[in-house]
Amino acid sequence: MRKEYLLTPGPSQVPADVLLKLAEPVYHHRTPRFKEMYKSLTEKLQKVFMSSGDIIIFASSGTGAMEASVVNIVPRGKKALCIAGGKFGERWSEICDAFGIAQVRMDVEWGKAADPKAVADALASDPDIVAVYTTLVETSTGVENPIRDIGAVVAATGAVLVVDGVSGAGACEMRVDDWNVDILVVGSQKALMLPPGLAVLTVSAKARALLDSVDNPPAYYFNLRKAVASAAKTDTPYTPPLTLMEALLVAADALVEEGMENVFARHRKYAEAAVAGLKALGLKVYPERPAAALTAVEAPAGIDAEKIRKIAKDKYGAAIAGGQEQLKGKLLRMAHMGYVGPMDIVIGLAALEMALADMGVDVTPGSGVAAAEAVLRSG
Ligand code: PMP
């Protein structure tokens, strides 16, 4: 018998009532039953993301929605501003390249947050930029970007702000309307507590106007204008992933019932506990602006993070992520988003602590857990 604890930043744990919903019989989608469900789902997701915009759902992973929010938004002759501070920020730039879309790329050192002032300068110096692409939680580095401040900068211009909230939206503070986010892209497999397979987008009126101005975008399934037109009729252009959508309604209900302010506060507390625990184990927090959704730390000098991870998983059953690209072998990334409680933090820290001790690292048994408990018990 093997029991595994999924503490990776997606896929993440799925509650039993969501899983059970997935086992229900399938029904036809061109029916009042589907429309009613989509209507409730739209209302609930608007509350979760604090958006009064359209809610669009694609049967894809988050990257599909990222692609849709590039190809439908930036017309020929105009440019995207891509903020690249990690593997996922770089994806915006790669999508532009794949479609031959002109871009201004703003590289941000990995581990650092995007600078709103630099965004303002870039927009001021290039009037061809019609959209700014950034990331809420850069999962590869554990940074949470200052979306509110970037939103204020972009809102003062004619450009739209597109935020990759695949990781973090539904866990970290994210107020789409108040923060002037025109398109928020989310994946189902992280804070939304679902299996992989759904991408969700919010679309503001400003983004809709831009969509309407782009003729013949290089998109068919991912044609956002078509999807928005269907959504206005509580419909979808093609067969919707209705079983996953039914399950998302269960998850969204739970978030709305808890209240988003409570959801944000709960995740902040997890992050605080994880940071305290990991620091007590002698590990250095990697990002300069740590996210509420996951904590990334550096492995001790001379120790391969992949080996720590392997022991944590194979011997103790805790699946924790490692570093990606140039950070492979150097980082450990413990998620605390979605269907997570205080004990998940304790389990992750205990597994890492034992794995570090097994590798001969000098850790005081229980020190990480004790530091996290002090945070978790407070308030
Ligand atoms: N953006 C971020 C911030 C992510 O964390 C991920 C997934 N790790 C993606 C985009 C890509 O999402 P998907 O794998 O669902 O396409």
Side-chain angles (χ1 to χ4, degrees):
M1 215 286 289
R2 232 191 101 66
K3 182 158 184 183
E4 195 166 292
Y5 299 88
L6 189 59
L7 301 173
T8 53
S12 61
Q13 299 174 61
V14 180
D17 54 353
V18 174
L19 288 172
L20 284 171
K21 197 72 189 173
L22 294 168
E24 289 188 2
V26 173
Y27 58 90
H28 198 267
H29 55 288
R30 304 295 181 210
T31 54
R33 181 176 173 187
F34 173 76
K35 276 182 183 280
E36 251 165 63
M37 183 273 288
Y38 188 16
K39 183 167 178 288
S40 315
L41 183 57
T42 299
E43 287 164 4
K44 291 283 153 80
L45 291 177
Q46 283 173 328
K47 290 195 171 119
V48 168
F49 302 128
M50 303 183 165
S51 160
S52 55
D54 301 304
I55 300 287
I56 304 302
I57 295 182
F58 287 126
S60 77
S61 77
T63 304
M66 291 176 75
E67 184 171 315
S69 46
V70 173
V71 301
N72 291 283
I73 286 283
V74 188
R76 298 284 149 195
K78 298 292 180 184
K79 291 181 195 163
L81 172 63
C82 299
I83 304 176
K87 182 180 161 69
F88 298 105
E90 288 177 2
R91 188 162 297 181
W92 287 125
S93 173
E94 289 164 8
I95 293 170
C96 288
D97 284 345
F99 287 90
I101 290 169
Q103 63 173 294
V104 174
R105 176 165 161 150
M106 179 180 288
D107 278 298
V108 175
E109 190 187 332
W110 284 38
K112 301 273 190 279
D115 174 11
K117 170 83 176 53
V119 175
D121 293 346
L123 284 168
S125 65
D126 195 334
D128 284 341
I129 296 170
V130 292
V132 176
Y133 293 89
T134 188
T135 318
L136 170 62
V137 172
E138 177 47 73
T139 322
S140 62
T141 63
V143 166
E144 187 169 325
N145 277 310
I147 301 301
R148 183 204 313 245
D149 298 342
I150 296 172
V153 163
V154 180
T157 72
V160 295
L161 175 62
V162 182
V163 176
D164 165 2
V166 170
S167 165
C172 306
E173 188 177 3
M174 177 73 249
R175 304 172 193 272
V176 165
D177 283 354
D178 288 356
W179 292 4
N180 302 294
V181 174
D182 294 297
I183 296 184
L184 176 71
V185 174
V186 192
S188 57
Q189 74 275 27
K190 305 196 187 216
L192 295 184
M193 305 183 281
L194 242 65
L198 283 189
V200 182
L201 298 98
T202 69
V203 181
S204 73
K206 189 176 178 188
R208 225 181 300 136
L210 193 52
L211 280 181
D212 288 341
S213 74
V214 180
D215 289 323
N216 303 316
Y220 193 89
Y221 176 78
F222 287 116
N223 187 311
L224 206 43
R225 197 201 295 189
K226 228 190 279 181
V228 166
S230 288
K233 295 179 273 171
T234 338
D235 208 346
T236 56
Y238 313 109
T239 310
L242 63 93
T243 307
L244 279 165
M245 289 168 74
E246 286 276 3
L248 182 54
L249 181 54
V250 174
D253 262 334
L255 290 171
V256 171
E257 195 178 317
E258 182 177 355
M260 292 315 293
E261 300 301 337
N262 295 328
V263 171
F264 300 155
R266 183 163 57 82
H267 284 86
R268 270 198 303 272
K269 185 146 199 147
Y270 297 154
E272 204 190 318
V275 164
L278 291 161
K279 277 187 178 165
L281 295 177
L283 303 172
K284 184 169 175 292
V285 174
Y286 180 73
E288 76 169 0
R289 204 171 182 276
L294 83 157
T295 300
V297 286
E298 294 174 27
I303 305 258
D304 181 0
E306 292 302 298
K307 290 200 178 130
I308 304 170
R309 234 159 67 71
K310 187 164 171 25
I311 298 172
K313 178 150 186 292
D314 295 352
K315 191 168 169 191
Y316 302 114
I320 287 159
Q324 295 168 294
E325 313 280 333
Q326 66 260 41
L327 295 174
K328 195 163 179 72
K330 299 196 173 93
L331 280 198
L332 292 160
R333 296 176 302 137
M334 188 170 110
H336 29 79
M337 66 176 114
Y339 185 48
V340 176
M343 294 315 292
D344 291 285
I345 309 295
V346 170
I347 285 167
L349 288 168
L352 282 177
E353 185 172 294
M354 291 190 283
L356 286 165
D358 290 349
M359 288 196 67
V361 178
D362 184 20
V363 288
T364 309
S367 58
V369 169
E373 281 180 5
V375 175
L376 293 169
R377 291 181 61 218
S378 67

